[in-house]
Structure formats: structure tokens, C-alpha cells
Amino acid sequence: MDRLTNTVRPYAWGSTTALPHLLGVEPTGEPQAELWMGAHPGAPSRTGRGPLNELIDEAPERELGPAATAKFGPHLPFLLKILAAGAPLSLQVHPDLTQAKQGYEAEERAGIPVDAPNRNYKDANHKPELLCALTPFEGLCGFRDPEEAARLIEGLGVDSLKPYADLLRAHPEEAALREVLTAVLCAGHDDMAATVAEAAAAAAHLGGDYAPYAALAHHHPGDPGVIAAMLLNHVRLNPGEALYLGAGVPHAYIDGLGVEIMANSDNVLRCGLTPKHVDVPELLRIVRFEATDPGILRPEASPSGEEVYETPIDEFRLSRYVLPEGTAPHDLTAPTPQILLCTAGTVRAGELALTAGQSAFVPAGEKVEVSGTGTLFRATVVA
């Protein structure tokens, strides 16, 4: 078993205080957005034996186990993070596996460099993800019912938004959502900036259900993503609750601290709330235009004390143990690779003592028992 030393990613939207508070260190004054745990080549975790990605490359079956290697290839198929949003992330959507392969191959044939700002597909993988709140957490997830979105937009009293409300009521659900998102993203820059400014002022005055959109406009003045966000479900998670985000579902995180796990991919199609590239035609090909319940997940408890967040994919499986004082040790030995992450208290995993924000990699088949007092997240795969 290996204690992990992990990289903090300083993205501009990151909180300046949430991660330092969890880790028990002094803030630097700079944003600290994500703590990465895994073998992603962009920021692999380090161990006493070397970088985790190199350990896996040297002996995939030893580290991952035969079943996981056969199913997912010689790579750790997930990336685990602690995410600390102090400002809204970009409104975005992820492709399914077929779309990712098609998009990646097309951009490779076109000779677009992988690091080009207009590149959509950095790899040929999909990127389902799960976010579990550690603090009260706010986000956007999936389309609202078109009638509900029409009422929300109409309530701002902004004349230039009335055609969007009319469109939402004039067509079947899929066509209505597609036409309005297309119209918002393709509107003239100056006209949309003026509309967003007027809508933001109205939202700030109205407050209540409109307050999140005033906040989005504060961070992204004039951005069409502010209007696009009103088409989506606004979600608040309590600690321990989670969101699963599958392919084609538009979403954005707004504020809060959480544990995030995802398939090992960088493929993102952006819809707004960002200065980065927005490829509208490709985005419209990927988005699933259907109203959905955001589907807040609560963990399913097992007799062993493991609380599992059930998802429909195999690249990752996230669960947690809430360990009260005096709990008997739990045997977590498994034939698949694991990352164990402590988020509260002190938990002993084998010979390692983990405190909040600390983590360990457990190779497939290695015996491990956990004990102590605190909260431990367990990330593995279904193989």
C-alpha cells in the first residue's frame, strides 16, 4: 500500500480557503480548485515507489489485477478528486464513448494539436462523473421541464427574453430545448450581452429562485451561459448527497466542496460561463435534449457498513465508511485497485494513518483493514 502525495490544481474558479481548511494548512491566497488522486498523466500522484502512472505502466496486472487490466486495459480507469468551487465552473457536457471516439478520430485526421484551444477531444474516452458533497453544494444538472423554464425566464420581465419563453411553449420538449439553446448560443454578442445585463439586474432585484443567476452574471457578465443556465435544474446537495452526470447531460458546479470521481478523460464540450472555446455545432450533436430529474443520490448502506453510491458504469465505484469511535476493523481487501481517501477524523489503513485530505493507493489483492474514527471514501472499479 502506498501513501499518495497529490497535486493541487490552481484553476481560477477554485476556493482560496476550502481545501486548505480541509487539509489543515494555511491558505496561500491563491485559488486551490482540485486535489487530484490517481494516475492521470497531467498530474499523477506520487508514491514512495515513484509516480503512480509509472508503477502501473511497469506492471499493470500487479497493480490493477488481471480482471481490471483485461476489462479496461493497462491503465487506472478513474481519476479521484477533491473539488473546491469558489466560483462557477463552465457550463459543460461530456460525450458518450462512441461520440468521443468519433470526435477524437476526426480531430486527429484534421491535424488539430491536442493542446490547441479549439480542440474538443483530448482522448477517445467518455467522462461520466459523480460528485459527492462534503459541504452544502450548489450546482446545475440537466434540463428543466420546458414550461418551468419558460415561467422562470418570463418572470424576469425582460422583453428580449420573451421569444425564448414562447419557443419553449410552442414545440415538443426536445425541439423546444434545442431551439432555445441554439438561439441563445448563436445570438449576436452585443445583443446577448445587453440581454444578460438586463436579466442580471432583474434577477438581483427579485432574489429567491433568481439569486443563482444574478451570481452567475456577476462572475460572467454578458455571457450567454447565464441564460442557458436558466434552462437547467438548480440543485442543492447536503453533505453526503451526490450527483451522477452521464453523457449528454449539461451541468455546472457553482459552489461548495466535494469528492469527485470520473472516468479518466479530458473531453469537455462547453456551453458557456467561460472565456474558452465553445463549439456550438459539436455541442448540439452531443447534448441530450430531454428534461430530467437531477436524481440526487444517497448512499445505499450494506451490512458491512459500506455505503455505496450506485451508478450505471464500471470505470469507477465510489463508496464511503463513516466510522464511529470503537468500530471494529473493516477488511477492504479486493481483487481490484483502490484509492482510499480520508475526509474527516483519523483513519488507519493498514500501517498508514490518514487524516483529512490524505489518501492511499492499494494495489489489487493487497490485504488492507481500516479502523479509527472518521470518514473514509473508497474508490475502485467494477471488474
Side-chain angles (χ1 to χ4, degrees):
M1 186 175 358
D2 302 277
R3 182 184 294 277
L4 297 180
T5 301
N6 304 304
T7 298
V8 173
R9 308 309 294 259
Y11 306 134
W13 49 262
S15 168
T16 58
T17 58
L19 263 177
H21 177 74
L22 179 76
L23 297 171
V25 299
E26 285 296 316
T28 65
E30 299 299 317
Q32 297 186 39
E34 295 180 346
L35 182 70
W36 284 25
M37 290 155 280
H40 192 288
S45 298
R46 282 94 63 204
T47 76
R49 297 184 290 149
L52 185 56
N53 59 332
E54 294 182 9
L55 297 184
I56 293 170
D57 288 345
E58 289 168 4
E61 287 204 4
R62 181 190 69 201
E63 303 296 334
L64 306 178
T69 303
K71 188 168 185 176
F72 303 111
H75 311 287
L76 187 68
F78 65 82
L79 176 64
L80 184 66
K81 302 178 180 180
I82 300 177
L83 181 146
L89 281 68
S90 62
L91 191 60
Q92 60 189 257
V93 69
H94 306 305
D96 64 26
L97 194 54
T98 298
Q99 292 165 338
K101 288 178 178 177
Q102 292 172 344
Y104 179 77
E105 289 168 1
E107 291 188 329
E108 286 290 282
R109 287 194 302 270
I112 302 172
V114 173
D115 59 354
N118 63 326
R119 176 94 184 212
N120 296 314
Y121 298 94
K122 306 298 178 65
D123 52 70
N125 200 13
H126 62 165
K127 193 186 176 186
E129 59 189 48
L130 178 73
L131 184 287
C132 178
L134 294 177
T135 66
F137 199 96
E138 186 178 3
L140 302 165
C141 179
F143 286 110
R144 299 174 184 265
D145 176 85
E147 174 60 35
E148 183 185 343
R151 287 197 300 269
L152 188 71
I153 289 171
E154 213 167 42
L156 288 169
V158 175
D159 288 344
S160 54
L161 290 177
K162 188 176 184 304
Y164 300 143
D166 293 341
L167 279 173
L168 287 167
R169 292 192 172 105
H171 297 287
E173 176 180 289
E174 180 180 352
L177 294 170
R178 179 182 290 276
E179 286 193 33
V180 173
L181 183 62
T182 304
V184 168
L185 296 180
C186 294
H189 177 272
D190 291 345
D191 289 343
M192 180 51 66
T195 294
V196 172
E198 189 176 353
H205 174 73
L206 291 167
D209 290 343
Y210 291 95
Y213 310 103
L216 292 179
H218 171 75
H219 289 285
H220 298 280
D223 193 304
V226 174
I227 307 303
M230 299 185 75
L231 301 175
L232 306 186
N233 297 297
H234 178 245
V235 182
R236 287 188 173 94
L237 301 178
N238 294 314
E241 295 179 333
L243 284 176
Y244 172 71
L245 300 161
V249 177
H251 61 277
Y253 301 141
I254 296 175
D255 183 72
L257 183 72
V259 173
E260 185 182 33
I261 189 168
M262 62 188 63
N264 217 349
S265 171
D266 284 333
N267 289 327
V268 175
L269 279 298
R270 295 177 179 84
C271 316
L273 306 180
T274 178
K276 295 182 179 179
H277 176 62
V278 177
D279 184 337
V280 175
E282 185 64 11
L283 172 71
L284 298 175
R285 187 178 79 88
I286 299 303
V287 171
R288 293 182 179 176
F289 289 98
E290 57 185 14
T292 59
D293 185 301
I296 294 175
L297 294 178
R298 295 170 182 86
E300 297 287 334
S302 70
S304 69
E306 184 179 29
E307 300 177 341
V308 181
Y309 293 90
E310 297 287 355
T311 65
I313 53 94
D314 294 342
E315 282 90 341
F316 60 75
R317 176 185 183 273
L318 185 71
S319 61
R320 70 172 184 173
Y321 289 83
V322 179
L323 305 173
E325 187 174 357
T327 303
H330 294 269
D331 185 354
L332 270 56
T333 307
T336 51
Q338 303 179 71
I339 292 179
L340 305 179
L341 166 65
C342 179
T343 58
T346 300
V347 176
R348 179 164 290 279
E351 298 300 314
L352 300 180
L354 304 177
T355 58
Q358 295 182 339
S359 57
F361 175 74
V362 185
E366 182 164 325
K367 183 172 177 57
V368 57
E369 287 189 339
V370 298
S371 59
T373 305
T375 301
L376 183 79
F377 281 85
R378 180 193 198 189
T380 185
V381 302
V382 179

